Amino acid sequence: MAFIRAILYYLNIAICLFVIGLPYMFYRGVLCRRWADSTRVCIPFFNTTFKLFGIKVEIEGKENIPDHKQFVIVANHQSFLDINVIWPTITITSFIAKAELWKIPVFGWVLNKIGCIPVYKNPRKNLGMGAIVKKRLEDNVTISVFPEGHRSNDGHMLPFQNGIFRMAKENKFPLLPVTIVDSGKRLSKTKWAMTPGVVKIVVHPLQTPESFENKSATQLRDEIHNMISSALPYRQAATAANKEA
């Protein structure tokens, strides 16, 4: 049953993307010239989809979400579901994503239009990305990034890559740390399986440029990594065990 549920979930995403999502984005973007908020359709879509597939999304720290959109969401990455839960719980957003996605006909063009930013395997091609992120934020487009680079197999966080933290210091933009809990249990990376249940979102305090002005990019990276991982069950269990010992 978990296998069938996973297949149906991906099919639902793919079909609705082409039947509902892309036409709506074209309408908002091409006709209304409002590409920046064309992904707003994702909010009711994913809220409905989660109910259909038995996924309950809970959020903690909602008061930490800024009223403005000029910030970068920095989150851990366990599942394809991570991308889906950000829209209805935090805000509509564009993503920093692997450049290979831009090779997909039509889809790559849409990624450009909604403000997504490609990251290349060749570091030289990523020069100037910080200024691009800054410009997106100034245009009122929230950006999301998963600094682990790829999904964790077991829910334990991988080391963060340096890029977004170096860019935040150089270009002085704020970072919003977010912990996504148990998305890998709901929709697995390692096998075709989807299990109903809770995905928890923990929003940590906004990290402003002033707050990390005197920190190195490495310090900022490690502090945010620790902040995000602190809300994961394996870290909380380890902390509790240390206190008992």
Short mmCIF file of all heavy atoms in Angstrom, two decimals, residues 190-226:
data_model
loop_
_atom_site.label_atom_id
_atom_site.label_comp_id
_atom_site.label_asym_id
_atom_site.label_seq_id
_atom_site.Cartn_x
_atom_site.Cartn_y
_atom_site.Cartn_z
N THR A 190 14.88 6.50 -0.15
CA THR A 190 15.57 5.24 -0.45
C THR A 190 14.67 4.15 -1.03
O THR A 190 15.16 3.16 -1.54
CB THR A 190 16.26 4.69 0.82
OG1 THR A 190 15.26 4.51 1.84
CG2 THR A 190 17.31 5.66 1.32
N LYS A 191 13.35 4.33 -0.94
CA LYS A 191 12.44 3.33 -1.50
C LYS A 191 11.14 4.01 -1.90
O LYS A 191 10.82 5.10 -1.43
CB LYS A 191 12.17 2.22 -0.49
CG LYS A 191 11.57 2.71 0.83
CD LYS A 191 11.42 1.56 1.81
CE LYS A 191 10.87 2.06 3.15
NZ LYS A 191 10.71 0.96 4.13
N TRP A 192 10.39 3.35 -2.78
CA TRP A 192 9.11 3.89 -3.20
C TRP A 192 8.09 3.58 -2.11
O TRP A 192 7.50 2.49 -2.08
CB TRP A 192 8.69 3.27 -4.53
CG TRP A 192 9.42 3.87 -5.69
CD1 TRP A 192 10.66 3.55 -6.13
CD2 TRP A 192 8.95 4.92 -6.53
NE1 TRP A 192 11.01 4.33 -7.20
CE2 TRP A 192 9.97 5.18 -7.48
CE3 TRP A 192 7.77 5.66 -6.59
CZ2 TRP A 192 9.84 6.15 -8.46
CZ3 TRP A 192 7.64 6.62 -7.58
CH2 TRP A 192 8.66 6.87 -8.49
N ALA A 193 7.90 4.51 -1.21
CA ALA A 193 6.97 4.31 -0.10
C ALA A 193 6.51 5.65 0.45
O ALA A 193 7.32 6.55 0.64
CB ALA A 193 7.63 3.49 1.00
N MET A 194 5.21 5.75 0.68
CA MET A 194 4.64 6.93 1.31
C MET A 194 3.75 6.47 2.45
O MET A 194 2.89 5.62 2.27
CB MET A 194 3.84 7.77 0.32
CG MET A 194 3.38 9.10 0.89
SD MET A 194 2.59 10.15 -0.35
CE MET A 194 2.71 11.74 0.48
N THR A 195 3.97 7.05 3.64
CA THR A 195 3.24 6.67 4.84
C THR A 195 2.53 7.88 5.43
O THR A 195 3.17 8.90 5.67
CB THR A 195 4.20 6.09 5.89
OG1 THR A 195 4.96 5.03 5.31
CG2 THR A 195 3.44 5.56 7.09
N PRO A 196 1.23 7.79 5.67
CA PRO A 196 0.51 8.91 6.28
C PRO A 196 1.09 9.24 7.66
O PRO A 196 1.63 8.38 8.34
CB PRO A 196 -0.93 8.38 6.41
CG PRO A 196 -1.03 7.28 5.40
CD PRO A 196 0.34 6.66 5.35
N GLY A 197 0.96 10.49 8.06
CA GLY A 197 1.45 10.91 9.36
C GLY A 197 1.81 12.38 9.38
O GLY A 197 1.43 13.14 8.48
N VAL A 198 2.55 12.78 10.40
CA VAL A 198 2.86 14.19 10.64
C VAL A 198 4.23 14.56 10.08
O VAL A 198 5.20 13.82 10.24
CB VAL A 198 2.82 14.50 12.15
CG1 VAL A 198 3.27 15.94 12.42
CG2 VAL A 198 1.41 14.28 12.70
N VAL A 199 4.29 15.71 9.43
CA VAL A 199 5.55 16.38 9.11
C VAL A 199 5.56 17.68 9.92
O VAL A 199 4.62 18.47 9.84
CB VAL A 199 5.67 16.71 7.61
CG1 VAL A 199 6.94 17.53 7.35
CG2 VAL A 199 5.71 15.44 6.78
N LYS A 200 6.59 17.86 10.70
CA LYS A 200 6.67 19.04 11.56
C LYS A 200 7.67 20.04 10.98
O LYS A 200 8.76 19.66 10.56
CB LYS A 200 7.09 18.64 12.98
CG LYS A 200 7.12 19.79 13.97
CD LYS A 200 7.51 19.28 15.36
CE LYS A 200 7.56 20.41 16.38
NZ LYS A 200 7.96 19.92 17.71
N ILE A 201 7.28 21.30 10.98
CA ILE A 201 8.14 22.40 10.54
C ILE A 201 8.49 23.25 11.75
O ILE A 201 7.59 23.73 12.45
CB ILE A 201 7.44 23.28 9.49
CG1 ILE A 201 6.88 22.44 8.33
CG2 ILE A 201 8.38 24.36 8.98
CD1 ILE A 201 7.93 21.73 7.53
N VAL A 202 9.78 23.42 12.01
CA VAL A 202 10.23 24.28 13.11
C VAL A 202 10.94 25.49 12.50
O VAL A 202 11.97 25.34 11.83
CB VAL A 202 11.17 23.54 14.07
CG1 VAL A 202 11.60 24.46 15.22
CG2 VAL A 202 10.50 22.28 14.63
N VAL A 203 10.38 26.67 12.73
CA VAL A 203 10.97 27.90 12.21
C VAL A 203 11.78 28.56 13.32
O VAL A 203 11.23 28.92 14.38
CB VAL A 203 9.89 28.87 11.69
CG1 VAL A 203 10.55 30.11 11.07
CG2 VAL A 203 8.98 28.18 10.68
N HIS A 204 13.06 28.72 13.10
CA HIS A 204 13.95 29.32 14.09
C HIS A 204 14.03 30.83 13.89
O HIS A 204 13.61 31.35 12.85
CB HIS A 204 15.35 28.69 13.99
CG HIS A 204 15.34 27.20 14.16
ND1 HIS A 204 15.34 26.59 15.39
CD2 HIS A 204 15.30 26.19 13.24
CE1 HIS A 204 15.34 25.27 15.24
NE2 HIS A 204 15.31 25.01 13.94
N PRO A 205 14.59 31.57 14.84
CA PRO A 205 14.70 33.03 14.70
C PRO A 205 15.50 33.45 13.47
O PRO A 205 16.49 32.79 13.10
CB PRO A 205 15.42 33.45 15.99
CG PRO A 205 15.07 32.39 16.97
CD PRO A 205 15.02 31.11 16.18
N LEU A 206 15.07 34.53 12.85
CA LEU A 206 15.75 35.07 11.68
C LEU A 206 17.17 35.49 12.05
O LEU A 206 17.39 36.15 13.07
CB LEU A 206 14.98 36.27 11.15
CG LEU A 206 15.46 36.88 9.83
CD1 LEU A 206 15.12 35.96 8.66
CD2 LEU A 206 14.82 38.26 9.61
N GLN A 207 18.11 35.12 11.19
CA GLN A 207 19.52 35.53 11.37
C GLN A 207 19.79 36.72 10.45
O GLN A 207 19.87 36.56 9.22
CB GLN A 207 20.46 34.37 11.05
CG GLN A 207 20.16 33.10 11.84
CD GLN A 207 20.30 33.30 13.34
OE1 GLN A 207 21.39 33.59 13.83
NE2 GLN A 207 19.20 33.13 14.06
N THR A 208 19.89 37.90 11.04
CA THR A 208 20.08 39.12 10.25
C THR A 208 21.56 39.35 9.96
O THR A 208 22.43 38.84 10.68
CB THR A 208 19.53 40.34 11.00
OG1 THR A 208 20.30 40.52 12.21
CG2 THR A 208 18.06 40.13 11.36
N PRO A 209 21.87 40.12 8.92
CA PRO A 209 23.27 40.42 8.62
C PRO A 209 24.01 41.04 9.80
O PRO A 209 25.20 40.79 10.00
CB PRO A 209 23.19 41.39 7.43
CG PRO A 209 21.90 41.04 6.77
CD PRO A 209 20.96 40.67 7.89
N GLU A 210 23.30 41.83 10.59
CA GLU A 210 23.93 42.46 11.76
C GLU A 210 24.31 41.42 12.81
O GLU A 210 25.33 41.55 13.49
CB GLU A 210 22.96 43.49 12.38
CG GLU A 210 22.67 44.69 11.52
CD GLU A 210 21.70 44.39 10.39
OE1 GLU A 210 20.95 43.39 10.48
OE2 GLU A 210 21.71 45.15 9.40
N SER A 211 23.51 40.37 12.92
CA SER A 211 23.76 39.35 13.94
C SER A 211 24.96 38.48 13.62
O SER A 211 25.57 37.89 14.51
CB SER A 211 22.52 38.47 14.13
OG SER A 211 22.30 37.65 13.01
N PHE A 212 25.31 38.37 12.33
CA PHE A 212 26.48 37.55 11.98
C PHE A 212 27.60 38.35 11.32
O PHE A 212 28.51 37.80 10.70
CB PHE A 212 26.09 36.34 11.11
CG PHE A 212 25.31 36.65 9.85
CD1 PHE A 212 25.91 37.20 8.73
CD2 PHE A 212 23.95 36.32 9.78
CE1 PHE A 212 25.20 37.44 7.57
CE2 PHE A 212 23.22 36.56 8.61
CZ PHE A 212 23.84 37.11 7.51
N GLU A 213 27.55 39.66 11.52
CA GLU A 213 28.55 40.55 10.91
C GLU A 213 29.98 40.19 11.34
O GLU A 213 30.92 40.25 10.53
CB GLU A 213 28.23 42.00 11.29
CG GLU A 213 29.17 43.02 10.67
CD GLU A 213 28.79 44.44 11.04
OE1 GLU A 213 27.89 44.60 11.91
OE2 GLU A 213 29.39 45.38 10.47
N ASN A 214 30.15 39.82 12.61
CA ASN A 214 31.49 39.54 13.13
C ASN A 214 31.83 38.06 13.17
O ASN A 214 32.80 37.64 13.80
CB ASN A 214 31.62 40.13 14.54
CG ASN A 214 31.50 41.64 14.54
OD1 ASN A 214 32.03 42.32 13.65
ND2 ASN A 214 30.79 42.19 15.52
N LYS A 215 31.03 37.27 12.50
CA LYS A 215 31.29 35.82 12.42
C LYS A 215 31.83 35.48 11.04
O LYS A 215 31.47 36.12 10.04
CB LYS A 215 30.01 35.02 12.68
CG LYS A 215 29.41 35.24 14.05
CD LYS A 215 28.07 34.53 14.18
CE LYS A 215 27.43 34.82 15.54
NZ LYS A 215 26.08 34.20 15.64
N SER A 216 32.66 34.46 10.96
CA SER A 216 33.12 33.99 9.66
C SER A 216 31.99 33.19 9.01
O SER A 216 31.03 32.76 9.68
CB SER A 216 34.35 33.10 9.82
OG SER A 216 34.01 31.88 10.48
N ALA A 217 32.10 32.98 7.70
CA ALA A 217 31.09 32.18 7.00
C ALA A 217 31.05 30.77 7.57
O ALA A 217 29.97 30.16 7.67
CB ALA A 217 31.40 32.15 5.51
N THR A 218 32.20 30.25 7.98
CA THR A 218 32.26 28.90 8.56
C THR A 218 31.54 28.85 9.90
O THR A 218 30.80 27.90 10.18
CB THR A 218 33.72 28.46 8.74
OG1 THR A 218 34.38 28.48 7.47
CG2 THR A 218 33.79 27.05 9.31
N GLN A 219 31.75 29.86 10.73
CA GLN A 219 31.05 29.92 12.01
C GLN A 219 29.55 30.00 11.81
O GLN A 219 28.77 29.32 12.48
CB GLN A 219 31.51 31.14 12.82
CG GLN A 219 32.88 31.01 13.46
CD GLN A 219 33.25 32.30 14.18
OE1 GLN A 219 33.37 33.36 13.58
NE2 GLN A 219 33.43 32.21 15.50
N LEU A 220 29.13 30.85 10.88
CA LEU A 220 27.71 31.01 10.59
C LEU A 220 27.13 29.69 10.10
O LEU A 220 26.05 29.27 10.55
CB LEU A 220 27.53 32.10 9.53
CG LEU A 220 26.09 32.37 9.06
CD1 LEU A 220 25.21 32.84 10.22
CD2 LEU A 220 26.09 33.39 7.93
N ARG A 221 27.83 29.04 9.20
CA ARG A 221 27.38 27.74 8.68
C ARG A 221 27.18 26.73 9.79
O ARG A 221 26.13 26.08 9.88
CB ARG A 221 28.42 27.21 7.69
CG ARG A 221 28.13 25.84 7.10
CD ARG A 221 29.40 25.22 6.55
NE ARG A 221 30.34 24.90 7.64
CZ ARG A 221 31.62 24.58 7.44
NH1 ARG A 221 32.12 24.56 6.21
NH2 ARG A 221 32.40 24.28 8.46
N ASP A 222 28.18 26.61 10.66
CA ASP A 222 28.11 25.60 11.73
C ASP A 222 27.04 25.92 12.76
O ASP A 222 26.37 25.03 13.28
CB ASP A 222 29.48 25.48 12.41
CG ASP A 222 30.54 24.88 11.48
OD1 ASP A 222 30.15 24.32 10.44
OD2 ASP A 222 31.73 24.99 11.80
N GLU A 223 26.87 27.21 13.08
CA GLU A 223 25.85 27.59 14.06
C GLU A 223 24.45 27.31 13.53
O GLU A 223 23.58 26.82 14.26
CB GLU A 223 25.99 29.08 14.41
CG GLU A 223 27.19 29.36 15.31
CD GLU A 223 27.28 30.82 15.70
OE1 GLU A 223 26.31 31.57 15.42
OE2 GLU A 223 28.31 31.21 16.30
N ILE A 224 24.22 27.61 12.26
CA ILE A 224 22.90 27.36 11.68
C ILE A 224 22.66 25.86 11.51
O ILE A 224 21.54 25.37 11.73
CB ILE A 224 22.73 28.13 10.36
CG1 ILE A 224 22.64 29.64 10.65
CG2 ILE A 224 21.49 27.65 9.60
CD1 ILE A 224 22.41 30.50 9.44
N HIS A 225 23.70 25.13 11.15
CA HIS A 225 23.58 23.66 11.07
C HIS A 225 23.16 23.09 12.43
O HIS A 225 22.25 22.26 12.52
CB HIS A 225 24.92 23.06 10.63
CG HIS A 225 24.87 21.58 10.38
ND1 HIS A 225 24.87 20.65 11.40
CD2 HIS A 225 24.82 20.87 9.23
CE1 HIS A 225 24.83 19.43 10.89
NE2 HIS A 225 24.79 19.54 9.57
N ASN A 226 23.81 23.58 13.49
CA ASN A 226 23.51 23.10 14.83
C ASN A 226 22.09 23.50 15.25
O ASN A 226 21.36 22.73 15.89
CB ASN A 226 24.52 23.66 15.82
CG ASN A 226 24.35 23.07 17.21
OD1 ASN A 226 24.45 21.85 17.39
ND2 ASN A 226 24.08 23.91 18.20
#
